[in-house]
Amino acid sequence: MDTLTMDLAGPGRDVQVGRKSPYPEEFRKDAVALYRAAAGKRTYAAVAADLGITAESLRTWVRKDEAQAVPEGRDGSVSAAEDLARLRAENARLLKAEKEWQPEREILGRTAAYFAQEVK
């Protein structure tokens, strides 16, 4: 949960103020993994637009994840959770691309069948 600490009643009497994110933790992790998978080839805005979120939300999640990151092992391996998040983001991207290409494949299939009949 994103919170802001405010001193409303004097020293030592901090109150937690904030709101729960409308996005589940898994979605936020997948969004961060998707941004990182682009390896600098896509902007925050481009990745965020694909996910239907604001660029500032994505930027905040990436920064928060960087701040909480545990140093990788000496061999440069990533944790299982990071790898899973990266794979889920990649899977989501591929499924979306497949849905976008489906109508094109159907049209090309019909066109190929038409020309195959013309050649006979």
Side-chain angles (χ1 to χ4, degrees), residues 4-76:
L4 173 66
T5 302
M6 296 180 65
D7 187 1
L8 298 176
R13 298 180 186 226
D14 293 337
V15 176
Q16 296 285 323
V17 178
R19 62 178 174 79
K20 186 173 172 129
S21 174
Y23 304 104
E25 183 68 23
E26 184 176 352
F27 175 82
R28 289 181 279 177
K29 287 182 179 184
D30 288 347
V32 170
L34 184 60
Y35 173 76
R36 287 191 176 144
K41 295 178 184 170
R42 300 187 68 208
T43 63
Y44 286 113
V47 174
D50 287 348
L51 298 172
I53 60 174
T54 66
E56 190 56 37
S57 290
L58 179 59
R59 183 179 294 112
T60 300
W61 299 342
V62 169
R63 289 178 180 165
K64 182 177 178 183
D65 189 65
E66 288 171 354
Q68 294 175 346
V70 176
E72 295 178 356
R74 289 184 181 172
D75 61 348

Side-chain angles (χ1 to χ4, degrees), residues 1 19 25 36 49 68 70 79 84-85 88-89 102 113 117:
M1 177 189 315
R19 62 178 174 79
E25 183 68 23
R36 287 191 176 144
Q68 294 175 346
V70 176
S79 72
L84 180 60
R88 283 182 174 162
Q102 184 65 32
Q117 288 177 348

Side-chain angles (χ1 to χ4, degrees), residues 82-96:
E82 289 173 332
D83 200 34
L84 180 60
R86 181 188 60 78
L87 291 171
R88 283 182 174 162
E90 179 70 6
N91 190 42
R93 185 188 66 79
L94 292 171
L95 289 172
K96 181 180 177 188

